Amino acid sequence: MKDLAQANVGKFEHPSITAKGEARATVALSNPQTLWFNTGTLCNIECVNCYIASSPTNDALVYITATEVGDYLDQIDARKWPVTEIAFTGGEPFMNPQMIDMTEAALARGYDVLILTNAMRPMMRKSMREGLLRLQAAYPDKMTLRISVDHYRADLHDAERGAGAFEKTLTGMKWLRDNGFTMAVAGRSVFGDDDASSRSGYAAFYAAYNFKIDGQNPGMTVLFPEMDESIEVPEITTACWGILDKSPDAVMCASSRMVVKRKGADTPAVLACTLLPYAPEFELGTTLEEAEKDVSLNHPHCAKFCVLGGASCSA
């Protein structure tokens, strides 16, 4: 298998020019709808193909606080961004001790909230369950918990996440179901199933447990393409929009930004993309005002995952 240097030699080096000397495509923040917060890279498990390398020991991105989240919510108001959704990802968000407070801060301002979770022990701690129930009662139908179910078969899910992971996630999903929470699922394409068979399999899984999740709805069952940096991908030029009949407004960085807190940093930073937390060229500054600048599609993920794969992290 080629490594990144071999597969994409000479590519993705200059922010505005491709290896062939063509103008690299950029994306403007045309309609900010979602502000993401990375709650920290610590996770209760370590998955085989975690794009952010979360684990029980990785604290490269430290816990963000409710006060810091509140500051960015103030900035949304000040910048008059038309944001409708606040989303939390990790790591495992429920590892962060202020997860309930951060969620409540967003709900109290009228935002829909999306939380990406494995629904395992961190979420099932008594304090988190009590907090979620309180927020569900106070803000009904405003929260969606997107559960990581890499595959609807337990053996394949556990191959990614460790023995017994599927059953622990299933326990959490049953609790969410029994308490009336809105659930979605994030699956993976690493197993080689085609889209139709994957969605059919997830639909059967949902039916077996009476989970009210639509297997055919891409916003409720999100099947993420893999982000293998060893695979050769084309660079996206300004001409590609017309060739592909695609608008830059459809790409994720046209409608979202992500806030992270790096270990040792005095303040959080705002990133162009949820998928590239460690790429310094995608860090736009510390404020939402600074983050309004255009994003250069200067990474293999931009092509494979977003422009050609058509994926989106939001609902």
Side-chain angles (χ1 to χ4, degrees), residues 201-282:
Y202 277 104
F205 165 62
Y206 303 150
Y209 293 100
N210 195 28
F211 294 146
K212 295 180 180 179
I213 307 172
D214 186 349
Q216 301 304 318
N217 183 341
M220 296 301 291
T221 302
V222 187
L223 302 178
F224 287 108
E226 292 309 302
M227 295 174 287
D228 186 349
E229 294 186 11
S230 68
I231 295 174
E232 185 175 4
V233 294
E235 294 183 282
I236 304 301
T237 69
T238 54
C240 286
W241 303 123
I243 295 169
L244 298 170
D245 191 24
K246 185 165 186 173
S247 168
D249 293 341
V251 180
M252 190 163 54
C253 51
S255 60
S256 68
R257 292 290 186 263
M258 183 170 76
V259 179
V260 305
K261 181 76 177 291
R262 300 195 188 282
K263 187 175 183 179
D266 294 329
T267 60
V270 187
L271 309 185
C273 181
T274 61
L275 307 175
L276 296 167
Y278 304 127
E281 65 270 29
F282 288 87

Side-chain angles (χ1 to χ4, degrees), residues 6 70 80 98 120-121 150 171 201 228 303:
Q6 294 173 320
K80 294 182 170 55
Q98 296 190 30
M120 296 172 74
R121 288 175 180 169
D150 288 340
T171 297
D228 186 349

Side-chain angles (χ1 to χ4, degrees), residues 173 272 286:
M173 293 180 73
T286 61

Side-chain angles (χ1 to χ4, degrees), residues 1-18:
M1 180 179 290
K2 299 178 182 178
D3 61 23
L4 178 58
Q6 294 173 320
N8 295 292
V9 62
K11 297 180 179 180
F12 307 105
E13 294 182 355
H14 192 282
S16 58
I17 303 295
T18 70

Side-chain angles (χ1 to χ4, degrees), residues 31-62:
N31 186 25
Q33 291 292 305
T34 303
L35 183 61
W36 288 84
F37 290 94
N38 187 293
T39 60
T41 39
L42 286 175
C43 187
N44 56 304
I45 58 175
E46 186 170 4
C47 300
V48 174
N49 289 304
C50 180
Y51 77 92
I52 201 171
S54 298
S55 76
T57 58
N58 180 10
D59 61 350
L61 303 181
V62 297

Side-chain angles (χ1 to χ4, degrees), residues 41-308:
T41 39
L42 286 175
C43 187
N44 56 304
I45 58 175
E46 186 170 4
C47 300
V48 174
N49 289 304
C50 180
Y51 77 92
I52 201 171
S54 298
S55 76
T57 58
N58 180 10
D59 61 350
L61 303 181
V62 297
Y63 289 149
I64 200 164
T65 68
T67 298
E68 289 164 337
V69 167
D71 175 65
Y72 283 96
L73 298 181
D74 289 341
Q75 291 184 48
I76 292 175
D77 294 338
R79 302 303 301 166
K80 294 182 170 55
W81 283 16
V83 167
T84 60
E85 176 187 60
I86 301 299
F88 296 96
T89 185
E92 168 51 48
F94 290 103
M95 295 278 285
N96 188 313
Q98 296 190 30
M99 188 62 221
I100 298 300
D101 292 337
M102 293 187 290
T103 303
E104 186 166 22
L107 291 169
R109 299 195 189 211
Y111 294 110
D112 292 327
V113 168
L114 174 67
I115 303 173
L116 277 55
T117 177
N118 57 37
M120 296 172 74
R121 288 175 180 169
M123 188 194 80
M124 292 297 285
R125 287 180 292 167
K126 182 180 179 181
S127 61
M128 294 298 171
R129 284 186 288 120
E130 288 178 347
L132 284 171
L133 289 172
R134 179 173 60 80
L135 295 180
Q136 173 77 346
Y139 305 96
D141 302 319
K142 295 293 287 182
M143 282 189 296
T144 297
L145 288 95
R146 183 188 290 166
I147 317 302
S148 298
V149 182
D150 288 340
H151 200 277
Y152 50 83
R153 276 176 41 187
D155 60 329
L156 294 181
H157 177 89
D158 286 0
E160 290 290 309
R161 294 181 175 257
F166 186 86
E167 284 302 318
K168 292 172 184 175
T169 289
L170 189 58
T171 297
M173 293 180 73
K174 290 177 180 177
W175 180 83
L176 292 168
R177 174 201 64 193
D178 293 345
N179 287 283
F181 287 89
T182 299
M183 285 189 289
V185 156
R188 301 281 292 275
S189 65
V190 66
F191 305 100
D193 301 335
D194 61 49
D195 187 82
S197 61
S198 289
R199 294 191 180 283
S200 177
Y202 277 104
F205 165 62
Y206 303 150
Y209 293 100
N210 195 28
F211 294 146
K212 295 180 180 179
I213 307 172
D214 186 349
Q216 301 304 318
N217 183 341
M220 296 301 291
T221 302
V222 187
L223 302 178
F224 287 108
E226 292 309 302
M227 295 174 287
D228 186 349
E229 294 186 11
S230 68
I231 295 174
E232 185 175 4
V233 294
E235 294 183 282
I236 304 301
T237 69
T238 54
C240 286
W241 303 123
I243 295 169
L244 298 170
D245 191 24
K246 185 165 186 173
S247 168
D249 293 341
V251 180
M252 190 163 54
C253 51
S255 60
S256 68
R257 292 290 186 263
M258 183 170 76
V259 179
V260 305
K261 181 76 177 291
R262 300 195 188 282
K263 187 175 183 179
D266 294 329
T267 60
V270 187
L271 309 185
C273 181
T274 61
L275 307 175
L276 296 167
Y278 304 127
E281 65 270 29
F282 288 87
E283 185 168 319
L284 304 176
T286 61
T287 68
L288 296 190
E289 181 178 8
E290 292 173 301
E292 290 173 354
K293 64 188 70 169
D294 293 357
V295 176
S296 177
L297 301 185
N298 192 25
H299 194 281
H301 289 355
C302 301
K304 186 174 188 295
F305 191 84
C306 291
V307 177
L308 301 177

